[in-house]
């Protein structure tokens, strides 16, 4: 399986853009806000919450960061107007973190304040480890300024995460806990899948014990089993399960049917190609999963290849 996954990753740059678009279609809402609203409405009708992400990272000019911020304000207005059960997720690099930290903070504060005015939560995504300190510093600053409709993401693969939880515990933060998809050196991140899984469970235990509200973001069946054991008896204000759009949708429906709160990550925007390649290249397992899924749609039984 690993050889197949890596083979898929190696050929991705040579795959025509139109083919990548077809492969990515189930996992991206589309290019426009209308696409995102449609998908979120469909999810809500099935009892699933959503978080909306405007695609656009690695901006090179302040104007690009400001355009992404405007797109988030539009998304917040649409969520409120249509009474969608959704929040938004933002990436600091898309809002200018690596261009101008002051600009980034100004844009983030405006998005968070707009969300507060509309009663909508804003999640700050975590990116590669070079941005971790800046991300957590900005999160702490937002909370210190009295902004409570904001949460953060922590990655179980990073060696530092248990220490980060300890430093954040007094805030009782709303945390999305995920494995982490970024390629990091061994000095920074655990490399073995089983070690990452054990770290995920350890982080989840500490977060729940600290009274944090946890978004448990995983498609890993073993981790889902571990998480379900730990949240048994908790009300849905204490946790929710989180998945990516188009990934293990059947499992997601089963979790909702069993009474668990589920939120699905809904990305949209013109930068779908860059997002798709990055997501697939940085996580060979996801690339292999998508390839097997596509093969299964074309050739009966192909998903077991």
């Amino acid at each position: 399986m690993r050889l197949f996954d890596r083979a898929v990753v190696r050929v991705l740059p040579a795959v025509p853009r139109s083919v990548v678009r077809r492969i990515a279609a189930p996992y991206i809402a589309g290019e426009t806000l209308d696409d995102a609203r449609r998908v979120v409405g469909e999810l809500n009708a099935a009892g699933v919450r959503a978080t909306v992400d405007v695609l656009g990272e690695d901006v090179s000019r302040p104007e690009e960061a400001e355009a992404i911020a405007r797109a988030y304000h539009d998304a917040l207005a649409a969520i409120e107007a249509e009474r969608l059960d959704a929040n938004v997720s933002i990436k600091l690099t898309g809002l200018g973190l690596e261009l101008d930290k002051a600009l980034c903070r100004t844009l983030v504060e405006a998005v968070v304040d707009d969300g507060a005015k509309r009663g909508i939560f804003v999640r700050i995504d975590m990116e590669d480890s070079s941005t971790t300190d800046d991300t957590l510093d900005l999160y702490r600053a937002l909370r210190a300024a009295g902004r409570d409709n904001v949460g953060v993401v922590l990655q179980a693969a990073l060696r530092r995460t248990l220490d980060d939880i300890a430093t954040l515990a007094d805030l009782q933060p709303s945390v999305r806990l995920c494995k982490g998809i970024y390629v990091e050196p061994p000095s920074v991140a655990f490399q073995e899948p089983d070690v990452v899984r054990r770290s995920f469970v350890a982080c989840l235990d500490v977060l729940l014990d600290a009274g944090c509200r946890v978004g448990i973001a995983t498609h890993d069946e073993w981790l889902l089993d571990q998480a379900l054991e730990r949240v048994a008896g908790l009300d849905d204000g204490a946790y929710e399960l989180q998945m990516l759009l188009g990934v293990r949708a059947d499992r997601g429906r089963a979790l909702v049917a069993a009474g668990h709160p589920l939120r699905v990550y809904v990305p949209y925007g013109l930068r779908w190609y860059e997002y798709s390649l990055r997501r697939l290249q940085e996580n060979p397992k996801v690339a292999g999963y998508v390839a097997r899924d596509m093969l299964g749609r074309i050739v009966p039984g192909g998903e077991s290849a």
Side-chain angles (χ1 to χ4, degrees):
M1 285 297 184
R2 288 185 182 180
L3 289 175
F4 176 79
D5 297 345
R6 290 170 184 156
V8 171
V9 167
R10 282 197 295 271
V11 303
L12 279 173
V15 175
R17 190 181 179 97
S18 60
V19 174
V20 174
R21 183 69 185 91
R22 289 198 298 274
I23 292 172
Y27 315 100
I28 297 174
E31 296 186 352
T32 69
L33 178 56
D34 283 342
D35 293 325
R37 289 191 299 199
R38 171 183 52 79
V39 170
V40 172
E42 292 169 355
L43 289 168
N44 287 176
V48 178
R49 306 164 183 174
T51 187
V52 174
D53 175 59
V54 179
L55 296 177
E57 303 165 52
D58 302 321
V59 297
S60 58
R61 296 180 295 120
E63 295 81 5
E64 293 175 322
E66 291 163 354
I68 291 174
R70 285 194 298 274
Y72 273 109
H73 289 292
D74 291 343
L76 290 168
I79 290 169
E80 180 187 39
E82 300 190 22
R83 299 182 179 180
L84 298 173
D85 189 351
N87 58 36
V88 299
S89 291
I90 62 175
K91 286 186 171 60
L92 297 188
T93 58
L95 294 174
L97 177 66
E98 295 175 334
L99 295 177
D100 182 339
K101 290 181 183 178
L103 171 65
C104 178
R105 177 165 177 165
T106 297
L107 295 177
V108 170
E109 287 176 343
V111 170
V112 173
D113 289 346
D114 192 9
K117 180 180 68 177
R118 301 177 190 278
I120 300 171
F121 183 81
V122 177
R123 176 83 63 188
I124 302 174
D125 274 336
M126 190 61 74
E127 303 177 69
D128 70 76
S129 61
S130 70
T131 69
T132 302
D133 284 334
D134 287 333
T135 300
L136 295 181
D137 288 347
L138 179 52
Y139 172 71
R140 290 187 186 95
L142 292 167
R143 291 294 307 276
R147 294 176 172 91
D148 295 328
N149 66 312
V150 61
V152 74
V153 177
L154 295 174
Q155 300 175 83
L158 296 187
R159 295 178 181 275
R160 61 178 286 170
T161 297
L162 280 173
D163 290 334
D164 288 332
I165 294 172
T167 64
L168 292 169
D170 61 310
L171 297 174
Q172 288 194 310
S174 172
V175 173
R176 175 195 295 150
L177 178 64
C178 64
K179 287 182 181 177
I181 67 166
Y182 295 92
V183 177
E184 304 282 4
S187 60
V188 171
F190 303 116
Q191 305 295 307
E192 302 81 6
D194 286 344
V195 177
V196 175
R197 288 189 183 99
R198 290 198 297 272
S199 174
F200 189 108
V201 172
C203 291
L204 178 58
D205 285 340
V206 174
L207 287 166
L208 291 174
D209 287 345
C212 302
R213 186 171 190 275
V214 189
I216 305 166
T218 185
H219 307 99
D220 183 314
E221 191 61 30
W222 185 83
L223 283 180
L224 280 173
D225 288 343
Q226 295 294 312
L228 293 176
E229 286 181 15
R230 285 159 171 77
V231 302
L234 298 180
D235 65 49
D236 64 12
Y239 78 99
E240 64 182 17
L241 304 174
Q242 297 187 357
M243 291 183 165
L244 298 172
L245 180 67
V247 180
R248 300 205 69 191
D250 288 346
R251 185 66 173 112
R253 284 189 288 270
L255 290 167
V256 172
H260 296 287
L262 175 67
R263 188 176 302 275
V264 166
Y265 181 86
V266 179
Y268 83 95
L270 295 174
R271 301 287 291 274
W272 60 265
Y273 180 75
E274 294 86 347
Y275 168 84
S276 301
L277 283 188
R278 179 181 63 78
R279 187 126 207 139
L280 296 174
Q281 287 173 329
E282 290 177 347
N283 194 333
K285 211 167 190 179
V286 172
Y289 175 88
V290 171
R292 283 187 288 273
D293 182 53
M294 288 296 295
L295 185 60
R297 298 178 193 202
I298 299 169
V299 182
E303 69 274 8
S304 62

